[in-house]
Amino acid sequence: MAKEPVRVLVTGAAGQIGYALVPMIARGIMLGADQPVILHMLDIPFAAEALNGVKMELVDAAFPLLKGVVATTDVVEACTGVNVAVMVGGFPRKEGMERKDVMSKNVSIYKSQASALEQHAAPNCKVLVVANPANTNALILKEFAPSIPAKNITCLTRLDHNRALGQISERLSVQVSDVKNVIIWGNHSSTQYPDVNHATVGDKPVRELVKDDEWLNGEFITTVQQRGAAIIKARKLSSALSAASAACDHIRDWVLGTPEGTWVSMGVYSDGSYNVPAGVIYSFPVTCKNGEWTIVQGLAIDEFSRKKLDLTGAELTEEKELAYSCLS
Amino acid sequence: MEQEHIILLQKILVLLFSVTLFWKIIKHMCGLLNIEKEPVTVLVTGAAGQIGYALVPMIARGVMLGPDQPVIIHMLDIEPAAEALNGVKMELIDAAFPLLKGVVATTDVVEACQGVNIAVMVGGFPRKEGMERKDVMSKNVSIYKAQASALEQHAAPDCKVLVVANPANTNALILKEFAPSIPEKNITCLTRLDHNRALGQISEKLDVHVSEVKNVIIWGNHSSTQYPDVNHATVKTTDGEKSVRVALANDNWLNTEFITTVQQRGAAIIKARKLSSALSAASAACDHIRDWVLGTPKGTWVSMGVYSDGSYGIQPGIVYSFPVTCEKGQWSIVKGLKIDEFSREKMDATAKELMEEKTLAHSCLV
């Protein structure tokens, strides 16, 4: 008996991350191999022809799970009935732009998309914000869509989480699936804190296996923080493949649950756990069950980590203030 | 005496039954214990390009070989693309794919071909503005001749090859001719994209889901002479399976616009996206390999460019797209389908083009 289709919205769908993401969704990577989907793709009028080209390709791929495609520049049509929303669209930083300018443009976008989602999405719509500044875009979306439960609005730090797993697996020459429970704390930016203090391979702590605290506290952290730039340097384009894959992982674990004994990193509305600022979107270690995430509580935070958690928290507070100043 | 024979027979049957049951139980328990399969090594050439970028995450997620089949990906590209290729390798690591057991990113064709079980040849020389057909052919013939040697010498036995880069059929033919120790049945080219496009067009016209439509055929060359044939295609309805031609009731459309739409779809995608159809090509490549390796569903065939054995009056010695079923890792041409006059003409026209391409390719070799 086939399940009812789930409607998944991808904004900025004519772009690179969208192009990598939509075939993954259509193949069941995001919601499972037995879950039919209907894709809603939104982009700006400038990209309408390219967006239609993506729709044509989705038809051409004859995906068994894909029960419909809506390609539109109308945000209301895009948001109607959606159960999952992946917000990839945003204003990219161009050369010469000040931080405030980028922030200002994105605040406008996320304010209006918040309204549309709130009014037209299905109840209990789950939202994942990918476009940078991801945490603050998600915060704006939350603030202008008050009837969407705060717990339903998240941002992507799973890419950084996966990158951290990858770096550890390479260092230890083990399969990446054997490494678990790294944590990405804070902002999806260069102040993020990749924390391995609770990470394990099998039942052994990563710190013990790596035996190189200097690397773990230095180069490992900066490598993960700056990986995005390293990809751009190599490819001359940003990391669409791995970002799309991480978005699928984020939603899949959220909806279908995390494996026993494993947590993942998600940017979620902070309740002040671990003494980080409340009222911002902060990346925490979470487990997921029955479609809900829960912050993993009670993890020991050493002094080194404390400083890093606070630093990224401070940056998020600044971003929040900057965003509000754009709204006045 | 009779009685003894019967008892013996019964004992043998019980024994066979028990052994079979025991074997099934063991297999099931192994499945529960999650004993992993040995990884399959998949080569993608031209991996730094657009189709490669769409394809490698699909392979790493099990779309090509199944969600329980670990893979090792080998990626090959040319020296100018080495940094970009390494960027793709970095991203594959960053994606923490559970099924991906290793990545090799190299510009060395020998290293790339080492031990590969499946080779998807996406790399080729693209046609640039002002280039003559002979120039494109000449460049690609050199590439496929060299890659044939490397594959033949270094790939795993029984390596399955899928050529995607255009001119796909003739590149595959050259590869076959210069890799004589690779069984000719192991060398194929991609027409599944056209096949899927045809399914998509029919499903849109009939307003049904694409999975309700099956058994279109793409005959011939992956070019504008391909012949998308719906004469044996069916659509699932509430009254069972109906012929597409009957259900659509629009022969004019089926014999004209439908055919040209499928033939020219590639150009339509380029016009809309300003880039060629990487997403759907990569997806079709996965479908081609998956059905080849894991088998086609009962009652369903697919289209594959394969070395012609003379079936349907198509001369042997070219790589021609036929309707095939797949079982136990082997494809077989679907025989005995009726070919009407209209179809006969089209099938011959595309065969003629392939013979011309073969002649052109051989002339580049002297």
Side-chain angles (χ1 to χ4, degrees), chain A residues 29-87:
Chain A
I29 290 166
M30 179 177 272
L31 295 168
D34 59 347
Q35 176 59 66
V37 293
I38 294 170
L39 266 169
H40 286 210
M41 301 195 296
L42 173 71
D43 217 307
I44 54 177
F46 180 76
E49 217 194 340
L51 188 66
N52 195 48
V54 182
K55 177 177 178 176
M56 287 161 76
E57 285 213 69
L58 288 172
V59 170
D60 290 352
F63 292 117
L65 279 179
L66 186 60
K67 301 301 183 185
V69 184
V70 172
T72 181
T73 54
D74 173 8
V75 70
V76 170
E77 189 185 0
C79 291
T80 297
V82 304
N83 308 104
V84 176
V86 186
M87 322 294 280

Side-chain angles (χ1 to χ4, degrees), chain B residues 179-212:
Chain B
S181 70
I182 299 183
E184 64 194 33
K185 63 184 174 63
N186 280 15
I187 299 176
T188 64
C189 81
L190 190 72
T191 53
R192 182 59 173 272
L193 177 53
D194 313 285
H195 181 104
N196 286 350
R197 284 169 172 166
L199 293 175
Q201 290 303 303
I202 299 292
S203 73
E204 293 227 295
K205 193 79 171 179
L206 287 171
D207 202 22
V208 297
H209 190 257
V210 71
S211 49
E212 314 287 286

Side-chain angles (χ1 to χ4, degrees), chain A residues 27 57 66 241-242 245 249, chain B residues 53 61 91 209 280 283 287:
Chain A
R27 284 281 190 187
E57 285 213 69
L66 186 60
L241 185 163
S242 45
S245 191
D249 290 340
Chain B
Y53 196 64
R61 283 281 191 186
E91 285 214 69
H209 190 257
S280 45
S283 191
D287 290 341

